[in-house]
Amino acid sequence: MTGSWRVVFLLLLCVEAAVLAVLETMFLPLRFDGTLLPELRDWPFPIMIAVAAFTTPLLVSWAASLSERVLTAASPLLVWFFTLTWFGYFEPGHAAGTPVLLLQDWRGLLLLAGGALTGAVAVGAVMARNAANRPGLYDTAGTQ
């Protein structure tokens, strides 16, 4: 695969990460309240936390297949994180009140943790794979 196609695929992965962050933020407040989902005691339906925990490391692993650089692998995670925090906190179009999408309750923190921690573990796996493939480059201090 040529270098220009790798850049295009990486940009597509970053756009996908941004779109997922926006969708996960918008659908995070879903509840079983009878409006969109059936009536079931007004319980929250935090399915977007599971979506974030599954898709963020998947995007990182796809980006890692494009290059051995850690920044390339971490770029979808970084785009997801900054899009989630910007869109979830500043909420385009909200009234002058307090933010309600990301900071409303435990689901916002769990969404942030579910996507960021699993994505960070995937970036760590890329770093470990790079260290295993180049043993002379990552020798620890004091082992000469």
Side-chain angles (χ1 to χ4, degrees):
M1 183 181 315
T2 64
S4 62
W5 282 109
R6 290 176 191 223
V7 171
V8 168
F9 286 140
L10 183 62
L11 288 175
L12 286 174
L13 287 174
C14 289
V15 167
E16 185 176 355
V19 168
L20 278 170
V22 169
L23 289 175
E24 289 160 0
T25 307
M26 292 302 296
F27 286 105
L28 185 64
L30 277 179
R31 293 184 160 277
F32 287 104
D33 58 356
T35 54
L36 186 61
L37 297 175
E39 174 69 36
L40 191 61
R41 296 185 186 174
D42 204 29
W43 283 347
F45 185 61
I47 190 67
M48 290 297 125
I49 298 167
V51 170
F54 177 74
T55 58
T56 308
L58 189 64
L59 291 174
V60 168
S61 66
W62 286 345
S65 69
L66 297 174
S67 173
E68 290 184 2
R69 299 186 62 206
V70 176
L71 185 61
T72 302
S75 58
L77 173 64
L78 294 172
V79 168
W80 179 87
F81 178 76
F82 288 123
T83 305
L84 183 82
T85 54
W86 180 82
F87 193 78
Y89 185 73
F90 292 115
E91 294 180 22
H94 87 297
T98 60
V100 294
L101 286 180
L102 191 59
L103 301 177
Q104 63 184 2
D105 59 0
W106 56 271
R107 292 175 290 176
L109 182 61
L110 228 56
L111 175 68
L112 187 62
L117 291 178
T118 56
V121 167
V123 171
V126 169
M127 293 171 68
R129 186 174 39 230
N130 286 349
N133 289 339
R134 296 183 274 176
L137 187 59
Y138 296 100
D139 284 337
T140 57
T143 60
Q144 283 91 7

